[in-house]
């Protein structure tokens, strides 16, 4: 809510400035804040305004950033196909900019949304390319962990459960190093699934118990309830 208030004020101020770049950024960030609060139509409307401005002023970097924000907003709206479409546009623009880390972020996004719609070959190819770019350019551990987490998801959904555990474990180590407890919780939740698929009930329970505690601390009620159901299911099958 604080972020929404700040970006609303920024957008109002930017409307009085001659600089289109300020308006593009303000509309984009306001759109993201609205989408995060579940106000999807308002959010996407502001992202469309940002994109139209970026296109009119021939700003490929802002077009790329806005398409990436669009992809995230459509994911919040549970439309992974639309998210994939925008992620592909973002990747196309980033590739013209000679910014390998931005390109890696877009590669991972395309891979993630491709996985969400079941195109696992495309997903693996893009996420592996993203991981290689992150490692070559020694980018931040958070981004590298994100690519590893995506690869874990792809492995799990293609029956490569041991490989999924390996990738999730690497992601978890990196998230712990940087202290990103939000993503630690999510990755622990993910890690439990390939363990459960391999009948590693104790390891699945350990991962989900820790995820449950973190979700509780973070006030993520829906995640708490879902992980509790997973633990209950584990006890029924054990």
């Amino acid at each position: 809510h604080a972020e929404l208030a700040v970006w609303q004020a920024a957008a109002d101020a930017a409307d009085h400035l001659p600089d289109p770049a300020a308006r593009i950024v303000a509309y984009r960030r306001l759109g993201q804040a609205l989408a995060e609060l579940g106000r999807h139509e308002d959010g996407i409307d502001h992202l469309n305004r940002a994109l139209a401005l970026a296109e009119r002023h021939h700003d490929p970097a802002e077009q790329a950033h806005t398409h990436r924000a669009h992809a995230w907003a459509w994911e919040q709206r549970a439309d992974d196909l639309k998210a994939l479409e925008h992620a592909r546009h973002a990747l196309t623009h980033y590739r013209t900019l000679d910014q390998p880390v931005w390109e890696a972020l877009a590669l991972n996004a395309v891979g993630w949304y491709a996985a969400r719609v079941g195109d696992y070959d495309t997903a693996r190819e893009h996420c592996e390319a993203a991981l290689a770019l992150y490692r070559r350019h020694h980018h931040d551990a958070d981004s590298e962990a994100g690519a590893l987490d995506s690869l874990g998801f792809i492995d799990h959904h293609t029956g490569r459960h041991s490989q999924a555990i390996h990738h999730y474990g690497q992601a978890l180590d990196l998230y712990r190093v940087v202290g990103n407890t939000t993503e630690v919780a999510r990755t622990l939740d993910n890690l439990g699934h390939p363990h459960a698929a391999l009948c590693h009930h104790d390891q699945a329970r350990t991962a989900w118990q820790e995820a449950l505690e973190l979700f509780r601390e973070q006030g993520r009620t829906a995640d708490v309830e879902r992980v509790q159901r997973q633990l209950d299911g584990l006890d029924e099958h054990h």
Side-chain angles (χ1 to χ4, degrees):
H1 290 283
E3 199 171 345
L4 175 61
V6 169
W7 288 112
Q8 184 64 68
D12 292 343
D15 283 338
H16 298 288
L17 296 173
D19 176 16
R23 288 205 302 285
I24 294 166
V25 172
Y27 292 159
R28 170 163 58 81
R29 297 302 297 267
L30 177 56
Q32 286 177 282
L34 287 160
E36 187 142 23
L37 289 169
R39 293 171 58 184
H40 301 297
E41 286 186 23
D42 288 344
I44 286 165
D45 181 53
H46 281 85
L47 290 172
N48 283 334
R49 290 172 73 185
L51 191 56
L53 262 178
E55 288 169 351
R56 191 180 319 143
H57 292 279
H58 307 290
D59 187 333
E62 278 303 330
Q63 287 179 64
H65 295 332
T66 308
H67 275 299
R68 193 162 150 247
H70 250 305
W72 178 86
W74 282 104
E75 181 185 8
Q76 305 314 298
R77 204 171 175 174
D79 190 335
D80 293 318
L81 274 173
K82 199 80 174 162
L84 177 58
E85 180 188 326
H86 281 288
R88 287 188 186 283
H89 285 307
L91 178 58
T92 300
H93 287 298
Y94 281 132
R95 279 180 163 156
T96 69
L97 299 173
D98 192 29
Q99 292 280 353
V101 170
W102 285 351
E103 184 180 337
L105 286 166
L107 279 163
N108 190 50
V110 170
W112 172 247
Y113 297 124
R116 299 273 298 175
V117 301
D119 184 357
Y120 296 113
D121 290 342
T122 298
R124 184 175 282 110
E125 176 192 332
H126 282 73
C127 291
E128 284 177 348
L131 185 61
L133 274 177
Y134 288 137
R135 286 177 171 169
R136 190 177 317 143
H137 294 277
H138 306 290
H139 192 49
D140 68 286
D142 256 331
S143 300
E144 185 179 331
L148 287 161
D149 184 83
S150 297
L151 285 166
F153 180 89
I154 294 159
D155 289 330
H156 173 55
H157 285 82
T158 51
R160 296 168 60 173
H161 303 303
S162 295
Q163 193 62 22
I165 290 165
H166 175 66
H167 279 130
Y168 281 141
Q170 287 183 300
L172 200 52
D173 289 345
L174 289 171
Y175 283 137
R176 289 193 199 278
V177 166
V178 296
N180 188 340
T181 54
T182 301
E183 293 301 328
V184 165
R186 196 178 60 77
T187 303
L188 281 163
D189 179 13
N190 291 339
L191 176 61
H193 292 286
H195 275 308
L198 292 171
C199 297
H200 299 165
H201 297 296
D202 290 343
Q203 292 95 321
R205 185 176 292 102
T206 299
W208 284 339
Q209 284 286 5
E210 191 183 345
L212 187 71
E213 286 162 25
L214 285 170
F215 285 143
R216 276 204 187 108
E217 285 171 21
Q218 295 162 12
R220 295 158 73 176
T221 311
D223 290 320
V224 168
E225 291 170 359
R226 180 175 47 73
V227 174
Q228 187 59 64
R229 285 196 299 273
Q230 289 165 194
L231 282 163
D232 293 344
L234 210 55
D235 289 335
E236 285 169 18
H237 291 108
H238 196 28

